[in-house]
Amino acid sequence: MKVLVVEDHEELARTVAAGLRREGMAVDVVFDGADALERALINHYDVILLDRDLPGLHGDDVCRALAGHPARVLMLTAAGTIEDKVSGLDVGADDYLAKPFAFAELVARIRALGRRSTSALPPVLVHGSLRLDPATRVATRDGRRLALSPKEFAVLELLLAARGAVVSAEQLLERAWDEYADPFSQTVKVTVSRLRRKLGDPPLIETVAQAGYRI
């Protein structure tokens, strides 16, 4: 899952981003509304975590400008009255969370919105004896739990979610890594290689020449 965090309080933004990365998400961070709109137009995000009280371009204006964007918007604000929630939803937010918030609730809401931002998928992804549960972050094959790194888990989830379609290395890099990933590195190839070893035999991940990978 790829998330854009839009929060003008830099310490809070970086803290939230670090926590979401520990949950296996790819996270980009911006500190104002104008940058948020620019990023949303050039990147694919599943969820945009949007502070409502942004300086300059207000969060409400950002939300209105994102109308029709495929990403789901979770609006954050220090104001938590019913009227505030209703007005936030009225400008186009998909969900609303008042500060201060419990991090576990934030993660749960982001995951719920992420499921809505893509085509309907079953809660557990299954291919033969391979099972992956995005909610619990557990993957097994033949009943054996796989010790996957966050990036290996993310790549496996993307390949399973593709339902047999080819996923390019560029798509994997965009969806599973954040803005700091080097597009000219061998990161995806190395991660897929490690994932293949951990999945064991018979091999599950097929390399499609000049196209990408599929399960």
Side-chain angles (χ1 to χ4, degrees):
M1 185 180 300
K2 190 158 188 173
V3 179
L4 176 64
V5 175
V6 188
E7 167 63 63
D8 66 307
H9 190 296
E10 292 195 21
E11 183 178 357
L12 175 60
R14 298 191 190 283
T15 299
V16 168
L20 296 180
R21 289 179 183 125
R22 287 195 294 271
E23 294 292 326
M25 302 180 195
V27 185
D28 292 342
V29 179
V30 294
F31 307 110
D32 61 68
D35 282 347
L37 289 178
E38 182 180 352
R39 290 295 184 89
L41 290 174
I42 63 175
N43 293 303
H44 177 102
Y45 295 105
D46 298 292
V47 177
I48 297 176
L49 191 61
L50 177 65
D51 181 34
R52 188 173 193 181
D53 304 310
L54 293 170
L57 189 61
H58 194 272
D60 287 0
D61 297 320
V62 175
C63 200
R64 291 188 188 96
L66 290 171
H69 193 279
R72 302 294 180 172
V73 175
L74 173 54
M75 187 173 280
L76 297 179
T77 182
T81 67
I82 294 298
E83 291 76 12
D84 291 315
K85 292 180 181 179
V86 170
S87 64
L89 295 172
D90 280 346
V91 298
D94 297 283
D95 199 0
Y96 192 101
L97 187 60
K99 302 175 185 177
F101 50 81
F103 186 73
E105 181 181 4
L106 175 67
V107 171
R109 286 174 180 261
I110 290 174
R111 292 202 188 284
L113 288 175
R115 290 192 294 271
R116 290 165 53 188
S117 72
T118 57
S119 58
L121 292 172
V124 177
L125 302 176
V126 179
H127 179 86
S129 64
L130 176 63
R131 295 172 57 87
L132 182 145
D133 186 341
T136 61
R137 312 296 296 167
V138 172
T140 62
R141 187 177 189 189
D142 296 320
R144 173 179 59 89
R145 183 163 179 167
L146 303 173
L148 303 181
S149 71
K151 295 306 180 190
E152 291 162 357
F153 190 96
V155 168
L156 182 59
E157 183 177 358
L158 288 167
L159 291 175
L160 286 171
R163 300 172 176 177
V166 175
V167 184
S168 70
E170 292 78 12
Q171 289 172 315
L172 291 175
L173 188 68
E174 178 189 356
R175 299 297 305 282
W177 278 264
D178 58 26
E179 60 191 320
Y180 299 109
D182 181 357
F184 301 106
S185 70
Q186 296 294 306
T187 299
V188 173
K189 184 177 180 180
V190 170
T191 301
V192 170
S193 178
R194 288 201 309 261
L195 181 57
R196 279 192 172 115
R197 289 198 299 271
K198 292 183 179 181
L199 289 173
D201 293 320
L204 288 177
I205 301 176
E206 175 188 0
T207 299
V208 180
Q210 299 181 338
Y213 306 94
R214 70 180 168 201
I215 289 181

